Amino acid sequence: GATTAAFSAGWQYIYGNLAHRPWLSVLGNHDYGGWRFDKGWPQQIGYSFVNHNWIMPARYYKKRMPHKGYDVDYFMIDSNAWDADWPNNRVNHNICSNHNYGGVSTCAANGGMPNIEGCRGWFWRTYKQQKRWLRHHLAKSKARWKAVVTHFPCGYDSGFYREMKRRHGLDLMVTGHRHQQELWKTTSKSNYVQSFMQTSNWHGDAPACFVTGGGGGIVSEKFSYADYGHDLAWYGFFHLTFTKDHLKIVLINDFEQEDGEWIVYPHGTKGWHRQMKVRATGNALCGSWCGDGNNPWWKVCPWGREPWISCGGCQGCKKQR
């Protein structure tokens, strides 16, 4: 009853008739609890078997969407291991943090983390399992289009996803986590986008990718150093138009204006090979606060420690590598 009421208030009431269409869903860090892991993620999975328009039968799964003359295969991945650390580390951005003490302290009955101390290992172990699963099923897929939907944004696990494009034809990634809209286009005029792509080595040989995190129940990032406008917006959504021969990605901001557009071609085609060769240009960002007393290099440079990417262009981070 409580789960049904929560979905009625937080999903169906807000989205109205759109909630009567199928939603392919994945878990984000706040679905676990942000700095905890016991805030109802198994109930979200279970709700898939109550309302069939809410599609999330597991933490990771695949779904084929047939279209006239072609198919799109979606692979849903739980990437929240990037926010799973030892209990005393990054306590305000750590699903496995010591904030879990005093709670239920286990999700073992749902196949989840056995305890607080075992939380980090559970996340990273199951993430490795997912990557093996994804590699296997991408290789088997004969779909015209192949897409991954996951929470952590473009740039995370760059080498792995570039391999998935090169070897198995991964065409698209739909991501979130950062509370804004980002179109990671290799020809983008946004210095912010180009900087992020440079720092994470995300060029034409990586899947087409966008970050859609500017539509939830929290305010936008509104970074002072970011050049919002083309390919980058505080709020909005992305509109995707698939055809057999191309995909059109359009960024719509909260004023119903187009802030970016990209045409992507399916794997193996001439357009795909041409786009594979394009490299992002521009210089990586270096925030003025990077390396100061509150933001030492060891804290801001490693992968998975937001806002690592804002310091990617600093000499201090280059030395760390």
Side-chain angles (χ1 to χ4, degrees):
T3 299
T4 302
F7 270 91
S8 294
W11 177 46
Q12 292 162 312
Y13 176 77
I14 292 173
Y15 290 100
N17 288 333
L18 289 177
H20 296 160
R21 297 176 179 271
W23 285 52
L24 302 179
S25 306
V26 292
L27 292 167
N29 57 312
H30 289 285
D31 294 307
Y32 283 96
W35 59 24
R36 292 179 64 154
F37 58 65
D38 60 355
K39 292 300 181 180
W41 60 272
Q43 285 85 339
Q44 292 199 44
I45 293 172
Y47 189 71
S48 297
F49 302 94
V50 176
N51 185 332
H52 293 169
N53 285 326
W54 180 261
I55 301 174
M56 190 166 62
R59 292 174 57 233
Y60 62 100
Y61 61 98
K62 59 186 176 72
K63 184 73 173 178
R64 171 163 289 185
M65 302 298 286
H67 298 264
K68 188 175 181 179
Y70 67 97
D71 295 322
V72 181
D73 276 353
Y74 292 94
F75 302 89
M76 325 303 281
I77 295 293
D78 183 344
S79 53
N80 291 291
W82 292 106
D83 246 8
D85 207 338
W86 299 113
N88 290 325
N89 291 347
R90 299 187 298 124
V91 293
N92 292 331
H93 296 280
N94 177 8
I95 299 171
C96 303
S97 80
N98 55 23
H99 288 288
N100 285 287
Y101 291 107
V104 297
S105 302
T106 180
C107 288
N110 297 106
M113 51 293 289
N115 49 50
I116 298 170
E117 291 73 19
C119 173
R120 178 183 181 275
W122 179 82
F123 268 107
W124 284 102
R125 182 172 63 255
T126 58
Y127 183 52
K128 290 179 181 178
Q129 292 170 356
Q130 291 179 71
K131 290 168 70 173
R132 290 195 296 269
W133 173 88
L134 179 61
R135 183 180 281 110
H136 172 75
H137 286 285
L138 279 173
K140 286 180 59 177
S141 172
K142 303 299 182 185
R144 179 68 164 179
W145 293 95
K146 305 178 189 183
V148 161
V149 181
T150 193
H151 184 67
F152 269 72
C154 319
Y156 280 76
D157 232 343
S158 171
F160 172 73
Y161 285 114
R162 290 190 350 256
E163 178 194 352
M164 293 304 97
K165 177 174 181 176
R166 184 176 66 253
R167 292 190 176 185
H168 304 308
L170 176 59
D171 299 294
L172 174 68
M173 289 187 67
V174 179
T175 74
H177 193 62
R178 276 195 297 275
H179 300 146
Q180 57 189 16
Q181 307 296 99
E182 306 170 14
L183 181 56
W184 279 41
K185 184 171 61 176
T186 49
T187 57
S188 176
K189 296 178 181 178
S190 167
N191 184 56
Y192 176 95
V193 171
Q194 289 284 353
S195 171
F196 274 39
M197 296 182 75
Q198 285 279 0
T199 302
S200 54
N201 198 22
W202 198 276
H203 302 283
D205 61 344
C209 190
F210 58 83
V211 177
T212 180
I218 195 169
V219 296
S220 171
E221 304 284 6
K222 299 182 182 179
F223 294 126
S224 60
Y225 55 83
D227 52 342
Y228 290 99
H230 200 73
D231 300 329
L232 187 65
W234 287 358
Y235 303 103
F237 62 93
F238 283 90
H239 186 275
L240 276 61
T241 305
F242 281 99
T243 71
K244 184 177 181 180
D245 297 322
H246 71 267
L247 162 64
K248 183 178 180 181
I249 305 171
V250 180
L251 167 55
I252 309 293
N253 66 26
D254 53 324
F255 297 104
E256 301 181 18
Q257 299 168 332
E258 292 189 11
D259 264 347
E261 180 182 309
W262 195 12
I263 300 295
V264 177
Y265 300 95
H267 58 276
T269 62
K270 291 182 179 179
W272 180 84
H273 284 288
R274 184 171 63 249
Q275 290 182 330
M276 280 279 285
K277 300 175 183 178
V278 181
R279 295 186 63 82
T281 59
N283 298 316
L285 291 169
C286 178
S288 60
W289 43 267
C290 298
D292 67 19
N294 295 320
N295 301 281
W297 298 120
W298 64 264
K299 179 180 179 182
V300 297
C301 294
W303 281 92
R305 297 189 180 180
E306 294 286 8
W308 59 269
I309 204 121
S310 309
C311 302
C314 302
Q315 288 300 317
C317 281
K318 292 178 180 178
K319 291 177 181 178
Q320 289 276 315
R321 300 189 195 108

